[in-house]
Amino acid sequence: MVNRCVCHDVSFARLIELVRQHGFSLETLCERTGCGTGCGFCIPYIERAIASGIADLPILNMGATE
């Protein structure tokens, strides 16, 4: 399971909380917390977490073709 931005140790639960409390966009979350600004690997996970409200996400298969 993936549940945080590893580069900046920001949990998706915290990001979901910030979106619910303040209505932050992804860009604002990144600016305020640093999430997604290191390697960037977590961006699709952050997008999915804030869209679904689920903080513990399965590993995405980024190379899959459907």
Side-chain angles (χ1 to χ4, degrees), residues 4 16 19-21 27 37 44 50-52 54:
R4 68 185 51 253
I16 292 166
V19 169
R20 288 182 178 160
Q21 289 178 351
E27 183 179 332
T37 63
I50 60 178
S52 68
I54 299 170

Side-chain angles (χ1 to χ4, degrees), residues 12-66:
F12 298 155
R14 176 68 180 140
L15 298 176
I16 292 166
E17 180 183 332
L18 289 169
V19 169
R20 288 182 178 160
Q21 289 178 351
H22 305 288
F24 290 161
S25 66
L26 175 61
E27 183 179 332
T28 301
L29 286 173
C30 294
E31 289 171 0
R32 300 244 178 152
T33 67
C35 68
T37 63
C39 72
F41 182 75
C42 63
I43 294 291
Y45 291 96
I46 294 169
E47 291 171 332
R48 194 169 285 206
I50 60 178
S52 68
I54 299 170
D56 292 313
L57 299 168
I59 295 172
L60 300 175
N61 185 353
M62 308 280 194
T65 56
E66 298 178 61

